Each structure stands twice: as structure tokens, then as C-alpha cells.
């Protein structure tokens, strides 16, 4: 059946000098085309289905279904096998695309980048993701491969550090669980369970396609018309365990083969706005605040660096989305407890003294410049764009929102976010420590 | 997009890659010197100390704030290796001039800061400040130690060190902790003043600035040096393994074993027919449609990753994989078996075509990133050539299976390194706490 498209809408941002086209395709799929004169065209086909969606039901279902940890990621691997026995990588290989996929807490995304044969490659992407094929044999075969992926993760100190912290912060929320699950949990995955998850989450109304590159909107839509069938309108309800505002545990320590202790301090936040535009604004504020407080130009970082307590590997990670929110600070140091104490003291001092409006304005300019710089890569644009879309936001509006945040509001937010009972720290120490 | 070469002074070349593609401008200064155990640590430490402070920006925070004020310009220090050449220096990434609301010359300002960092360091008693040198020594020693944290790359480095013992290729680009510990503020300063005048200096600019303007900016930037007198660069190539394959096993406290096969390839970039070798390594282990991926991973489910990584300057190749300890023999023989299959012309048309298209796609992708363009041309220069990625497209397309089989047959196994994991796998979740 040939599907006609509804209206193509154009969205522009004059400061960024960028635009994209949006179509709600008749199949139910939201399609975004971001034109960019680059060699590489990048396409990202994603579903709002990640590792945290492990207890769910459809409208009309009485009971929730609980599935084994790691199943979203397992499903992602198994999508690459097809009924005719030809692996998806081999299909792409005919047209020279470089293909991949990833699963995060909140989404599963399939992607390719190519410099030729865009329409052929897009057809493969849309086709294989909308045609699941799992058998008990093919499912069993993947145990060995994913088992080794999990082992590699277990040997990665950074991974142990981050999940140690998530488990400290969250008592219940499934963001505390490893994305790929464990060797034990994935042993319970069956073809039937994969189909169950697929049929719920891989309906086109729950998905989006983001294409960035030197492409024509019409080309994208003509492939969509040819490949996509109308998806059922399902109402998915995902169970999120309620969390207390305080962290579940203040500390966790693990010993591994590392040369020097590594630490990760977390600030948990369960107060999340239900309004997507408000979320964009608060995200912007958190980004500016954390760079101002802890970034490369901050007093905190420079003082601790000078004292030999921190080195250049110090990093900041902010999350603020509909499902969870936290701030983390990670790095290497000889004694993690010293960093924790200094962090807590410093934040109290800032809370007491307030923030300087002119300083805040400087960091706002930095944030705007950094954001403009993120529009030089088709993969970066498509991935960022989809992050915004899945949280109800908009990548081109974000630049304007960055310009409107104020020091006063951000200071109020700071006082709300940074409280001792929301802090936790995970560390990984050398085996002989 | 071709390269315009400008002689800045004796031994100093500016390579301009003009493009309107990016919102950013990229300028990078590379000091090239022979990789040598006696100087590796000194060179690595030099750039780190230079980043600590200058005459006008006395500390790191002052430098960082000046960069922030220049539309969040980024300045990175770097140390890496190419064959037996050590490269150190700085890269500068700035927002394009048309985003300056006040007419600021954004790149020009960033180059003033970069020039200060390179040539007007903060001194005490006519040598580097002791405080900075001691603090960066500690950071560098920690960085050398922290290489163990990434087990994949650690295992490859161990294989390289063992296989190339006695060759300069075995030297780490960061040197050793023992060598770093011996450095003093005076010895480092003396080294610095000499080494910056005895390196070949290759500067890359990628962006839309006018050729004359960028040339005169770079001339001003480098004027403190005048003509330099570069030490000759070379890499010793051992074309065939000189002994029966060596087997080395080391116990490390991790769960996953890492198997690395080190080969002498009889192929280096300065060879006229190097592209035939490139195609061989792509067919063998360069993409998800390669023989290693399709067989060691997909068919036998032994691993999550299995790649072949050639070094074009040195004429070596490492095949790297993460496996269960017990699967070492079977993985090793399958990796060698796939190599043998290629020598016997057991390559399907699909495999061959896929490898060519994958390489061609990769060549065209290079044009989308300033860093990838620089990396391509730097490699070419060291091999005494200047062909562009696009010129290699035709070359790759004309290679025959027989040529690939011949390249495969010339590869000899030198060293098999196995990092044997001694940690028990805890398969019941929750063992992490």
C-alpha cells in the first residue's frame, strides 16, 4: 500500500543557521530530516525502549509483564539476523554503509552512515528493524557473544564505578541495573520474550527516524512510503518504581585491577518537571551551573588540581530527563574521601555566597558557543536531535533557551539540587589498597 | 579539498585544507621527533608543563578563562606515536569567525594564547617553575600507570612491547615512570629549548579563513623559533618474523582473557602497492563483514570483538580479541585459519566487494572531520607521499583477489600474547556490592 505523507514542516534557527524538516508519516513514524552539506549521511532509527523499561503493560492488559534484565540490548543484537539467513551487516555491505546499533537506559537505536547509495541503505535500515526474526537457536547463539560483551564491561573499572554509583543513588529505579544485564539474567531470554517486547515497543508510533546529511526530504519519504506499514497505536505503560529523594547508600567501594583510586560523586534528583520545555530549560541551567562550579575554569577544579588532588581526567556528567536526573563528578585521586569532603564544603560555600551574575553570563556564552560547535558532524547532530525528540524537546529551540536562563533562577535551582542527603560516592580502589 | 603547503620557515610547514564545511576552525601544531626511550618522557612532560602557565597567564585557570572568553576556544595538548616517530604539540579548535557578535578574530585570539603557551612559559630562575614540573611529573606517572585500566589497549601494548623488544617501536609515547621521576625543572627546560628547534614541525589548518591571513597568522605564531634543524625521522621495518612464533602468557586479575596475535606484515605505506595490503586487512578483520567478525564472533560465538589493526609505518599488525580463558586455543587457531583461507583465495565475491566498499566509504568519511584529515595526511607525509583519500578510491577498486592473497601470504606470525584472566566470574548479580 502506498502511503501519502502529511504536511512537511520546516523548522529554522537563524542564529545557528540550521534547519530541519519534520513529517509525521502516515505509518505513525515521526521523520526528521536535517540537511547538511557533508560527505557522510547519517540515519538513526530509534525506539523509546531502553534497559529501564523492564516492567510494562499495554492499555487493556491486566497484569504488568516483567522481563529479564538486559533484554532490550539482547533484542538489539538479534535484530541483525533475518529470516533469509543473510546477516544485516552483509546487506549493508553491498552498499558500502557503516552500520551499528546501541542500547541505552531509555532507547534503542539503529544507525548507518554512508557516502553513497543513501536510499538503498535507508531501505535496509527501515526494513530490518520492522522485520523481527528470532528462533530458539539464533537466540541461544548470542549468549556467547553478549556474555563476552558483559565480561568486557565487568573488567572495565569505569563501568564498575558508574554502576556502583547508580546503585548507591537508587534503591529501586531500574537505571541502577547494567544495560546489558548479567550472564545469569540473559540466560532466561527466549525468542518468545523477545517477540513480546518487540511487539510492544517497536511500533512506529513509539519510534523516530532522524536523518542528517546532504539528502533530499523527498528521498527519505519515498523510502518510508515503500517500506513502512501503518503501525498499531498502542498505549504503553511502563512501571517506574518510586524513589525516595535521598540516596539509598552513601558509599560503595570495589577493588579491581587499577593503578590508582578512581571516584564518582553523584547528586541525585527526583524532582523532574513533567513539562518538556521546562526540562530543556532546567537542563540548560544544570549544564551552565556545573561547568561554572566544577569545569576547567572553576576555582574548585583549579585549586584541587594545584594541590595534586585532581588531574585532567576529571569529568562532569549531567542527566535531566523525564525518567531520571543526576549530576556526577568522576576522576582519579589518591584518597576519594578527601575529594568528597572538599566537594561538599565548596558547594556549601557557593550556596552561602551566591553566584556572580557577570560570571554566570560568561558561562552562558561558553554554553552557547559549545552548542554551536556541536553542529559540525552529521552523527552528532542526528544523535543529539533524537535525544531531544525522545524527551519531548527540540534541538533548534535549545539554543534560544540557553540564551534565556538567568543567574537568579539557576541559583535557586542550585540550592535545591545540592544537599548532603542527595550525595553518594562510589570508588574503585587498587587490589592492594 | 586538496592541501596547500606553505613554507613558514626552515623545517616548518603549514598545510592548509580550505573548506567551508565546518562551523569550527582547526589549527594544530605537531612537533615530530624520533621516538626514543631517552627522550619520550621528556617530550611528553614538556607539553603538560607548558599548559600550566605562561608569562601573561600565570596559571592554568588564567589560560582556561582566556579561552572561555574567546567564544569557548579549546586548546588541547597531545602526545602520540606514528611508527617510530613521536608527535607532540597542541591543537586549537575555535568557533568560526562569523559567529563573533563583536567582530572578534576568534582564531587569531586563540593563536595568541597558543603562542604564549608554546614559547613564553612561566619561569622561575630562568627554568620551568618547579611546582608545575613536580605536579605534572606526578600526573604523567599516574597516566602511565592508568593505562592498565583499559584492558583491551593494555593487552595490545603488552604484545607490542614483547614482540618489538629492542626496537624503538616498543617505546611508549609517554615513556616510563622511572624516566619521568628523574626529570628536574632545569633538565626539562634545557630539553625544551633544544627539542623545539630540532623537530620537524607540521602545522595543519582546516577551515574557511583566507590563505594569506592564515599564513601570516601562523608566521607570527612561529616567529620565536626562526628556522629549525629537524632530526631525520625513520622507522625500522622488519618485514618477516625472524623466529618461530613466540607464545607469551601473563596472569592479570580480570575476568576476560585477551588474546593478541602480533604479525610482521611485509607491507608499509611507502610501498607502491600498499593499498593491496590495506584491502587484505579489511577483508581479514576490518569491518563487521570481515572474516574475523563473521567467523570468530558470529559463527563460533567466541567473542564480542575481533579486529585486525595494522600499523602502516612499522609493517606490523595486531589481531585483538576478548574471550573466555578456556577458548584460547580454538580462537587462536580460527584466527590463523581465516588468514590461511585468504592466502588460498577462499574469498567470496560478496566479501571482496564488501571490503572494497567499506574502505571507499571510510576514505570519503575522512573529509568530514578536521582531525581525520590531519591524521590521513600526517601518515602520508611520514611515508613520503601526499595522495588524497579520494585518489585511493580508484586504487582500491582495481585490486584483485590474487593481489590480496599474495599480501596475506607474506604476513608472518611473530608473537602470540595471552592475558590470562585470574578473576572468577560472579554470575549471580549483586556480587558487585
Amino acid at each position: 500500500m502506498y502511503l501519502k505523507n502529511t504536511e512537511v514542516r520546516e523548522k529554522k534557527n537563524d542564529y545557528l543557521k540550521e534547519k530541519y524538516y519534520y513529517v509525521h508519516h502516515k505509518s505513525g513514524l515521526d521523520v526528521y530530516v536535517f540537511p547538511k552539506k557533508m560527505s557522510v549521511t547519517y540515519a538513526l532509527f530509534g525506539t523509546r525502549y531502553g534497559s529501564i523499561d523492564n516492567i510494562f503493560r499495554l492499555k487493556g492488559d491486566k497484569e504488568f509483564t516483567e522481563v529479564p534484565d538486559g533484554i532490550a540490548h539482547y533484542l538489539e543484537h538479534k535484530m541483525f539476523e533475518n529470516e533469509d539467513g543473510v546477516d544485516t551487516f552483509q546487506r549493508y555491505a553491498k552498499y558500502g554503509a557503516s552500520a551499528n546499533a546501541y542500547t541505552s537506559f531509555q532507547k534503542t537505536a539503529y544507525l548507518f552512515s554512508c557516502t553513497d547509495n543513501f536510499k538503498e541503505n535507508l531501505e535496509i535500515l527501515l526494513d530490518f528493524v520492522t522485520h523481527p526474526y528470532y528462533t530458539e537457536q539464533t537466540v541461544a547463539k548470542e549468549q556467547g557473544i553478549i556474555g563476552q560483551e558483559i565480561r568486557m564491561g565487568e573488567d572495565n573499572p569505569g563501568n564498575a564505578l558508574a554502576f556502583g554509583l547508580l546503585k548507591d543513588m537508587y534503591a529501586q529505579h531500574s537505571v541502577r541495573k547494567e544495560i546489558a544485564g548479567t550472564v545469569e539474567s540473559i540466560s532466561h531470554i527466549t525468542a518468545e520474550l523477545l517477540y513480546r517486547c518487540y511487539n510492544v515497543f517497536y511500533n512506529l508510533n513509539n519510534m523516530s527516524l532522524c536523518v542528517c546529511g546532504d539528502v533530499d526530504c523527498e528521498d527519505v519519504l519515498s523510502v518510508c512510503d515503500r517500506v513502512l506499514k501503518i503501525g498499531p497505536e498502542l498505549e504503553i505503560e511502563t512501571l517506574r518504581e518510586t524513589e525516595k529523594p535521598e540516596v539509598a547508600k552513601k558509599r560503595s567501594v570495589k577493588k579491581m585491577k587499577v593503578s590508582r583510586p578512581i571516584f564518582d560523586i553523584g547528586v541525585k534528583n527526583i524532582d523532574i518537571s513533567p513539562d518538556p520545555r521546562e526540562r530543556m530549560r532546567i537542563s540548560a541551567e544544570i549544564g551552565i551551573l556545573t561547568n561554572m562550579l566544577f569545569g576547567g575554569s572553576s576555582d574548585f577544579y583549579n585549586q584541587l588540581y594545584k594541590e595534586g588532588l585532581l588531574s585532567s581526567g576529571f569529568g562532569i556528567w549531567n542527566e535531566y530527563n523525564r525518567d531520571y536526573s543526576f549530576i556526577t563528578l568522576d576522576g582519579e585521586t589518591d584518597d576519594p574521601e578527601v575529594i568528597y569532603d572538599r566537594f561538599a564544603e565548596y558547594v556549601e560555600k557557593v550556596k552561602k555566597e551566591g553566584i556572580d551574575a557577570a560570571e554566570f553570563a560568561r558561562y552562558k556564552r561558553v554554553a552557547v558557543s559549545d552548542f554551536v560547535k556541536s553542529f559540525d558532524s552529521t552523527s552528532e547532530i542526528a544523535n543529539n536531535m533524537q535525544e531531544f525528540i525522545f524527551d519531548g524537546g527540540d534541538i533548534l529551540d535549545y539554543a534560544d533557551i540557553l540564551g534565556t536562563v538567568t543567574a537568579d533562577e539557576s541559583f535557586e535551582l542550585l540550592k535545591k539540587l545540592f544537599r548532603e542527603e542527595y550525595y553518594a560516592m562510589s570508588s574503585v580502589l587498587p587490589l592492594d589498597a | 579539498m586538496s592541501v596547500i603547503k606553505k613554507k613558514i620557515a626552515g623545517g616548518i610547514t603549514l598545510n592548509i585544507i580550505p573548506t567551508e564545511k565546518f562551523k569550527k576552525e582547526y589549527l594544530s601544531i605537531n612537533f615530530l621527533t624520533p621516538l626514543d626511550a631517552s627522550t619520550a618522557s621528556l617530550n611528553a612532560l614538556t607539553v603538560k608543563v607548558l599548559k600550566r602557565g605562561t608569562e601573561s597567564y600565570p596559571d592554568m585557570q588564567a589560560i582556561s578563562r582566556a579561552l572561555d572568553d574567546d567564544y569557548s576556544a579549546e586548546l588541547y595538548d597531545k602526545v602520540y606515536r606514528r611508527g617510530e616517530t613521536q608527535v607532540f604539540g597542541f591543537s586549537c579548535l575555535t568557533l568560526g569567525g562569523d559567529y563573533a557578535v563583536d567582530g572578534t578574530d576568534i582564531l587569531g585570539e586563540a593563536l595568541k594564547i597558543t603562542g604564549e603557551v608554546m614559547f613564553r612559559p612561566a619561569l622561575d630562575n630562568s627554568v620551568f617553575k618547579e611546582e608545575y614540573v613536580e605536579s605534572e611529573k606526578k600526573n604523567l606517572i599516574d597516566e602511565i600507570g592508568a593505562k592498565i585500566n583499559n584492558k583491551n589497549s593494555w593487552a595490545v601494548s603488552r604484545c607490542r612491547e614483547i614482540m618489538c623488544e629492542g626496537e624503538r617501536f616498543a617505546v611508549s609515547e609517554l615513556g616510563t615512570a622511572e624516566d619521568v621521576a628523574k626529570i628536574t625543572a632545569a633538565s626539562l627546560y634545557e630539553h625544551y629549548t633544544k627539542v623545539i628547534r630540532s623537530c620537524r614541525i607540521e602545522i595543519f589548518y582546516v577551515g574557511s579563513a583566507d590563505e594569506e591571513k592564515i599564513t601570516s597568522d601562523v608566521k607570527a605564531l612561529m616567529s620565536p623559533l626562526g628556522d629549525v634543524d629537524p632530526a631525520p625521522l625513520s622507522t625500522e621495518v622488519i618485514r618477516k618474523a625472524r623466529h618461530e612464533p613466540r607464545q607469551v602468557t601473563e596472569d592479570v586479575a580480570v575476568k576476560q582473557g585477551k588474546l593478541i596475535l602480533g604479525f610482521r606484515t611485509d607491507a608499509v605505506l611507502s610501498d607502491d602497492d600498499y593499498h593491496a595490503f590495506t584491502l587484505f586487512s579489511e577483508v581479514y578483520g576490518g569491518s563487521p563483514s570481515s572474516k574475523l567478525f563473521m567467523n570468530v564472533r558470529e559463527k563460533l560465538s567466541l567473542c564480542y570483538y575481533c579486529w585486525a589493526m595494522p600499523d602502516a609505518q612499522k609493517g606490523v599488525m595486531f589481531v585483538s580479541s576478548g574471550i573466555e580463558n578456556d577458548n584460547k586455543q580454538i580462537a587462536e587457531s580460527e584466527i590463523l585459519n581465516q588468514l590461511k583461507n585468504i592466502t588460498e583465495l577462499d574469498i567470496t565475491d560478496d566479501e571482496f566487494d564488501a571490503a572494497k566498499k567499506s574502505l571507499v566509504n571510510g576514505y570519503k568519511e575522512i573529509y568530514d572531520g578536521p582531525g581525520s584529515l590531519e591524521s590521513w595526511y600526517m601518515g602520508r607525509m611520514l611515508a613520503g607521499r601526499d595522495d588524497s583519500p579520494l585518489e585511493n578510491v580508484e586504487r582500491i577498486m582495481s585490486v584483485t583477489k590474487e593481489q590480496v592473497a599474495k599480501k596475506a601470504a607474506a604476513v608472518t606470525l611473530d608473537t602470540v600474547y595471552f592475558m590470562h584472566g585470574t578473576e572468577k566470574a560472579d554470575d549471580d548479580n549483586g556480587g558487585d556490592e
Side-chain angles (χ1 to χ4, degrees), chain B residues 308-350:
Chain B
M309 299 171 295
D311 185 297
Q313 311 290 336
K314 180 68 181 170
V316 297
M317 172 175 74
F318 299 99
V319 171
S320 160
S321 184
I323 55 172
E324 287 292 325
N325 283 328
D326 294 345
N327 288 333
K328 191 238 171 194
Q329 282 312 327
I330 174 170
E332 182 183 333
S333 58
E334 186 59 20
I335 289 166
L336 293 172
N337 183 40
Q338 291 305 325
L339 177 61
K340 187 163 155 271
N341 287 347
I342 301 176
T343 63
E344 290 168 357
L345 276 170
D346 178 5
I347 311 165
T348 66
D349 289 343
D350 281 350

Side-chain angles (χ1 to χ4, degrees), chain A residues 116 297 305 359 373 376, chain B residues 23 64-65 72 74 136 364:
Chain A
D116 281 308
S297 302
Y305 189 105
E359 270 297 284
K373 284 191 274 178
D376 266 353
Chain B
K23 291 185 188 300
S64 183
R65 287 180 67 91
S72 192
E74 296 159 59
E136 291 308 320
K364 292 182 180 173

Side-chain angles (χ1 to χ4, degrees), chain A residues 71-139:
Chain A
I71 196 166
H73 170 258
Y74 209 96
L75 203 163
E76 173 227 299
H77 272 240
K78 292 325 294 173
M79 286 311 300
F80 283 80
E81 263 167 44
N82 301 296
E83 197 167 357
D84 60 5
V86 182
D87 176 278
T88 297
F89 285 120
Q90 288 172 293
R91 291 179 67 187
Y92 275 124
K94 272 198 170 41
Y95 299 100
S98 165
N100 212 335
Y102 63 87
T103 306
S104 66
F105 292 126
Q106 294 178 295
K107 70 169 178 171
T108 312
Y110 300 84
L111 59 99
F112 70 81
S113 63
C114 69
T115 51
D116 281 308
N117 307 313
F118 167 70
K119 284 172 81 172
E120 288 80 357
N121 287 314
L122 181 62
E123 179 153 353
I124 294 168
L125 175 67
L126 297 181
D127 180 70
F128 91 87
V129 177
T130 53
H131 289 87
Y133 174 74
Y134 325 118
T135 67
E136 291 310 330
Q137 282 96 341
T138 62
V139 171

Side-chain angles (χ1 to χ4, degrees), chain B residues 227-343:
Chain B
D227 294 333
V228 297
D229 183 19
L233 303 171
S234 67
T235 295
E236 178 197 12
V237 178
I238 296 170
R239 290 195 166 258
K240 299 270 175 205
R242 290 168 176 166
H243 46 72
E244 287 300 300
R246 254 185 307 200
Q247 292 275 349
V248 178
T249 298
E250 289 180 333
D251 282 343
V252 176
V254 291
K255 292 175 186 169
Q256 187 178 58
K258 301 282 186 195
L259 176 64
I260 317 294
L261 274 66
F263 298 90
R264 304 279 179 182
T265 60
D266 195 19
V268 284
L269 189 52
S270 49
D271 295 346
D272 287 339
D273 62 347
Y274 186 76
H275 52 282
F277 175 82
T278 302
L279 184 56
F280 150 73
S281 74
E282 188 71 18
V283 170
Y284 186 40
S287 81
S289 11
S290 68
K291 286 194 172 284
L292 292 179
F293 192 93
M294 290 308 295
N295 291 284
V296 186
R297 169 172 150 145
E298 290 297 316
K299 210 161 143 198
L300 300 177
S301 301
L302 289 174
C303 59
Y304 173 63
Y305 69 95
C306 187
W307 305 118
M309 299 171 295
D311 185 297
Q313 311 290 336
K314 180 68 181 170
V316 297
M317 172 175 74
F318 299 99
V319 171
S320 160
S321 184
I323 55 172
E324 287 292 325
N325 283 328
D326 294 345
N327 288 333
K328 191 238 171 194
Q329 282 312 327
I330 174 170
E332 182 183 333
S333 58
E334 186 59 20
I335 289 166
L336 293 172
N337 183 40
Q338 291 305 325
L339 177 61
K340 187 163 155 271
N341 287 347
I342 301 176
T343 63

Side-chain angles (χ1 to χ4, degrees), chain B residues 47 52 54 61 71 76 89 103 107 162 218 237 263 268 280 302 321 428:
Chain B
V47 284
R52 288 301 298 271
T54 74
Q61 190 172 21
Y71 293 82
Y76 302 101
L107 181 65
I162 293 163
V218 169
V237 178
F263 298 90
V268 284
F280 150 73
L302 289 174
S321 184
D428 52 331

